[in-house]
Amino acid sequence: MMTLVPGHDQAPRVALVTGAGSGIGRAIALALGRDGWRVACADRDREGADETVRQLASIGFAVTADVTLPEDCKSMVEESVRHFGHLAGFVAAAGIQVTTRAPADELPPDEWTRVLQTNLTGTFLSTVEAGRAMRKKGVGGAMVLVGSIAARSAPVPGIAPYVASKAGLEGLSRALAVDWAPSDIRVNAISPGIVLTPMTEVSLGDASTRAGHEARIPVARIAEPDDIAGAAVFLLSNAARYITGTSLVVDGGWSIA
């Protein structure tokens, strides 16, 4: 039976997923759809968002948004609520990688700004707008911020902006969990290991690079986006109703090896 929004006995679950046009974001959006959610799919790549919605069929809704822009974050939440009536779940999966790997003292300052603007500031802006909508409706909700094991141990050298952005994201999830607990809004993070996505397929396409990573992972394989999606679905569900302010590591054992 479909889990209902607390206090709304006839309301189906509705989630908004940023970065839903590809990779982990798309996998989470589709997994939520299979679990009975209606899903608003936001991405700055409208074609990607439309493709995810095509796979979701009637339970999906596409929104074009760049999470680095406050006005886009506001409008994507408003459009999602207007279309579905309310918002019970939110997943911040929009993110980018570094384009220039370099020691911190050789890093172009604009590369630092670019990565943090999307991964951390964009997550903050979009999550705050989603939280504002949930608090306004007064029915609570749950949020998942997609981080990385890089927040705890840099898997490769020369990616200081990415590491800092993901560490900040985990801290943000804990702060928001405390801020919004009185409004019955749970906020958690997930920390994926290395995942095969459109962002990583170039580097992982090199056989020696991929073999080196797999040798360090106890389960001996690179993750697929679907391996990460289940954790997000769980943390948004009523099965996780007493979990907030934590980060769930999904890395095939990388961080304990």
Side-chain angles (χ1 to χ4, degrees):
M1 187 176 75
M2 181 177 289
T3 304
L4 304 177
V5 178
H8 285 218
D9 292 341
Q10 301 303 317
R13 296 170 296 173
V14 175
L16 167 61
V17 181
T18 69
S22 65
I24 293 173
R26 173 176 286 172
I28 291 173
L30 296 178
L32 287 169
R34 291 191 295 270
D35 195 52
W37 291 75
R38 297 178 185 179
V39 189
C41 301
D43 203 291
R44 62 184 179 185
D45 173 14
R46 182 54 183 256
E47 289 186 4
D50 284 341
E51 173 56 25
T52 304
V53 168
R54 187 192 67 78
Q55 296 182 44
L56 285 165
S58 61
I59 59 172
F61 174 69
V63 185
T64 305
D66 180 341
V67 297
T68 68
L69 303 176
E71 60 272 22
D72 275 22
C73 292
K74 186 173 189 295
S75 64
M76 78 175 178
V77 171
E78 290 177 345
E79 287 182 47
S80 300
V81 172
R82 189 179 306 119
H83 184 82
F84 286 119
H86 67 276
L87 191 63
F90 175 73
V91 179
I96 58 174
Q97 291 190 322
V98 296
T99 57
T100 303
R101 287 189 181 180
D105 60 328
E106 299 174 12
L107 184 78
D110 60 348
E111 178 72 349
W112 171 272
T113 301
R114 185 187 71 88
V115 174
L116 266 75
Q117 186 66 26
T118 294
N119 291 0
L120 185 54
T121 302
T123 296
F124 172 76
L125 293 172
S126 57
T127 304
V128 164
E129 288 297 338
R132 183 173 288 126
M134 290 179 182
R135 296 180 75 192
K136 184 177 180 179
K137 288 288 184 180
V139 297
M143 300 183 168
V144 172
L145 313 187
V146 179
S148 169
I149 58 166
R152 307 172 187 210
S153 60
V156 294
I159 58 169
Y162 187 81
V163 171
S165 68
K166 294 301 185 177
L169 184 149
E170 286 203 2
L172 175 64
S173 69
R174 292 191 289 271
L176 295 179
V178 172
D179 283 357
W180 292 340
S183 299
D184 195 26
I185 298 172
R186 298 184 297 103
V187 185
N188 291 291
I190 53 177
S191 296
I194 297 176
V195 185
L196 182 60
T197 69
M199 284 200 304
T200 62
E201 62 186 2
V202 174
S203 61
L204 293 177
D206 178 75
S208 61
T209 298
R210 182 163 183 159
H213 288 316
E214 289 176 337
R216 182 176 170 179
I217 303 171
V219 301
R221 68 176 178 85
I222 301 296
E224 298 286 343
D226 282 344
D227 294 319
I228 312 304
V233 173
F234 163 68
L235 288 172
L236 290 182
S237 76
N238 282 345
R241 63 185 177 273
Y242 201 62
I243 301 174
T244 195
T246 194
S247 179
L248 178 57
V249 176
V250 191
D251 68 354
W254 172 292
S255 58
I256 61 169

